[in-house]
Amino acid sequence: MIDRIKVKRLPKQPGVAAWNAILPAQKCPRVLEGDDVADIAIIGGGFAGLSAARRLLQLDTGLKIALLEAGRIAEGPAGRNSGFMIDLPHDLASEDYAGHGMDADKRQTEQNRFAISFAGSAVEEYGISPEAYAPVGKTNASASERGENFNRTYGEHLARIGERFEMLDGKAMREMTGGSYYSSGLFTPGAVILQPALYIRGLAGGVSRMIALYENSPVMKMEHQQGGWKLMTPKGSIRANKVILATNGHAESFGFFSRRLMHVFTYASMTRRLSDGEIHALGGLPSWGVTPADPMGATVRRVSGTGGDRIVVRFRFTYDPSMEVSNARLAKVSRLHERSFLRRFAMLKDVPMEYRWAGHLCLSRNGVSAFGEVAQNIYAACCQNGLGTARGTLSGIAAAELALDEPSELAESFLAQDAPARLPPAPVAWIGANTYLRYREWRAGVEC
């Protein structure tokens, strides 16, 4: 039985979280100081942790809930993703996003749509800006024959599971993006495009009306006491009967799932605000987002609204068991983003990138979550396999239901999965994973 936990490392966020930086400044954080008590403590203020908090409130408004975030809300991975909440199969490890068979993909699609509905109802309940949550679908964009073949194969898979899609030609892609880089696309209507920091801040603001939400309050130690746990931070502590661990890859920092979690970083850059003249030269729609036909290619978004008109480019994955990325690596990848941006938008050749950042993903070798009761009264909702918006929402909901012993088909679905598979020895895993990632990126070619 585990009685004490000493946290091995705290999160380090590489670069500026641009989605948050372009929003108005947040209020000063509430930091945990002194001692507090709670029925349930949640560690982590991302999609999983905040969704768990909301679900607990739905189940029992009388619960005393405390949520502890190591940094600021929306500065961690939840505010660093590309903002797609995708309903359909979207397996990043595959060639064309298709998942693990028709039945599994249908079940995953149903669950993802539940997550999207949960997020949409939160937007309505908490009065979150519509800019945070746009149910406009998404497009897999192709710039090559190889990409078009991927889209064709993916479309055939969608047809087999009875899902709607539309193939777009080069003209439709130009009308959307303003450029002629993409030759075709595959549009699916069910995805939602988020301004992730705006959504996460809104969700945090909503649940904080009824829970104690502490920022800049990293949990450093935990001790088992009288059936519950004492969580210690630099300036205070909380005694809680139960704990939900919503820390994604940092579950390993708490001593769980050792050598079973793959720590991967993905990288993005955002331009400065476009001028009126640059907006005119670009053309296209004021807001759109495309994912690459090849999963290793570049995700590109144009945003308008709070923070102005900007373009975001995201690609490159690295495997980093240290859970850290150097500034030199960040600068190197940003140069790749600049070249990718100029290939697509030559008319904006004088527009620099203002922000660059990396975000921590957690994957398992066999594509499953790190979920369940991992120690007495500690419930993990971790390892989202690169799909943190939808999968994180789902795992947070399921962990809340599990912690309260609520009948839950969703929790049962997570519990029915195998455990995350053990990784090869560290040097083999690092060399193998990064070699494989670079090879797949090379094969993606102009899709990057």
Side-chain angles (χ1 to χ4, degrees):
M1 178 177 171
I2 298 174
D3 290 319
R4 292 180 177 81
I5 295 170
K6 183 175 181 181
V7 180
K8 298 176 184 176
R9 60 170 77 84
L10 297 178
K12 293 186 178 180
Q13 311 299 347
V16 176
W19 295 112
N20 201 37
I22 64 175
L23 296 177
Q26 300 184 76
K27 296 179 181 179
C28 291
R30 179 185 181 185
V31 179
L32 176 61
E33 297 180 333
D35 299 325
D36 199 357
V37 294
D39 297 310
I40 298 183
I42 301 169
I43 306 175
F47 283 90
L50 291 169
S51 297
R54 181 169 184 248
R55 184 60 180 142
L56 289 170
L57 291 171
Q58 289 176 336
L59 293 170
D60 186 349
T61 57
L63 284 173
K64 184 173 174 57
I65 302 166
L67 187 149
L68 299 102
E69 165 58 36
R72 293 302 311 270
I73 293 293
E75 286 288 329
R80 292 168 175 261
N81 62 73
S82 55
F84 291 91
M85 204 168 198
I86 299 170
D87 58 334
L88 296 171
H90 196 76
D91 184 356
L92 294 175
S94 72
E95 290 289 325
D96 64 354
Y97 299 115
H100 305 284
M102 290 179 59
D103 290 343
D105 282 353
K106 287 180 179 180
R107 182 169 58 253
Q108 185 62 65
T109 298
E110 181 181 355
Q111 290 179 352
N112 288 346
R113 287 176 176 157
F114 175 71
I116 288 171
S117 174
F118 183 89
S121 65
V123 169
E124 182 176 352
E125 179 182 354
Y126 298 142
I128 301 172
S129 167
E131 187 181 335
Y133 179 96
V136 295
K138 77 168 187 69
T139 299
N140 280 4
S142 168
S144 65
E145 183 177 350
R146 174 181 169 82
E148 290 176 0
N149 287 336
F150 278 143
N151 273 346
R152 193 174 301 112
T153 301
Y154 187 50
E156 292 169 355
H157 179 71
L158 294 179
R160 285 193 295 271
I161 62 175
E163 293 296 337
R164 291 186 299 139
F165 64 93
E166 179 184 357
M167 302 302 294
L168 306 179
D169 60 15
K171 179 175 181 292
M173 296 302 293
R174 287 192 299 275
E175 291 173 349
M176 179 198 300
T177 66
S180 58
Y181 191 78
Y182 296 114
S183 57
S184 65
L186 184 153
F187 172 77
T188 52
V192 168
I193 298 183
L194 305 174
Q195 205 292 22
L198 188 57
Y199 172 77
I200 285 294
R201 281 168 60 163
L203 185 56
V207 299
S208 66
R209 300 168 194 169
M210 298 181 68
I211 74 170
L213 195 158
Y214 299 105
E215 298 177 77
N216 292 342
S217 301
V219 175
M220 313 291 290
K221 296 179 183 178
M222 297 173 61
E223 292 182 357
H224 189 256
Q225 295 182 351
Q226 298 178 340
W229 290 88
K230 181 178 181 181
L231 286 60
M232 288 161 276
T233 70
K235 296 183 178 181
S237 69
I238 286 182
R239 295 177 187 271
N241 297 328
K242 296 182 179 182
V243 177
I244 293 177
L245 189 65
T247 57
N248 207 16
H250 275 280
E252 192 168 359
S253 301
F254 284 76
F256 301 111
F257 305 104
S258 179
R259 297 294 309 141
R260 293 178 183 271
L261 305 180
M262 299 176 65
H263 304 288
V264 173
F265 281 83
T266 186
Y267 302 78
S269 298
M270 178 186 284
T271 67
R272 62 151 167 77
R273 181 193 296 253
L274 302 181
S275 69
D276 290 343
E278 289 161 347
I279 293 170
H280 179 74
L282 173 60
L285 300 179
S287 181
W288 51 266
V290 299
T291 49
D294 185 314
M296 292 301 295
T299 294
V300 183
R301 284 188 60 181
R302 178 180 169 186
V303 297
S304 61
T306 305
D309 285 67
R310 299 170 184 265
I311 291 176
V312 179
V313 177
R314 189 207 77 174
F315 77 89
R316 175 58 64 98
F317 295 88
T318 59
Y319 174 58
D320 296 283
S322 67
M323 304 188 208
E324 295 185 24
V325 168
S326 69
N327 290 332
R329 164 97 63 74
L330 199 58
K332 181 178 180 180
V333 175
S334 181
R335 291 191 288 271
L336 298 178
H337 292 161
E338 290 168 358
R339 291 199 287 270
S340 179
F341 171 76
L342 289 175
R343 286 198 299 270
R344 287 164 171 78
F345 308 107
M347 74 291 282
L348 302 178
K349 59 182 177 62
D350 295 324
V351 176
M353 296 294 176
E354 182 175 3
Y355 300 109
R356 52 194 57 83
W357 70 96
H360 182 191
L361 310 181
C362 177
L363 295 80
S364 62
R365 194 177 179 188
N366 50 340
V368 300
S369 298
F371 182 86
E373 189 172 7
V374 292
Q376 185 177 352
N377 292 327
I378 298 179
Y379 303 88
C382 301
C383 190
Q384 316 306 348
N385 285 284
L387 306 172
T389 55
R391 203 69 181 163
T393 299
L394 291 169
S395 64
I397 294 168
E401 293 171 345
L402 184 64
L404 293 186
D405 295 319
E406 280 287 315
S408 172
E409 291 184 9
L410 187 57
E412 289 176 6
S413 175
F414 277 99
L415 291 170
Q417 297 176 348
D418 294 334
R422 185 170 294 279
L423 300 177
V428 174
W430 187 90
I431 294 170
N434 281 300
T435 300
Y436 176 68
L437 290 169
R438 294 292 73 75
Y439 168 69
R440 287 198 57 193
E441 185 179 297
W442 171 80
R443 282 208 309 166
V446 296
E447 302 297 339
C448 292

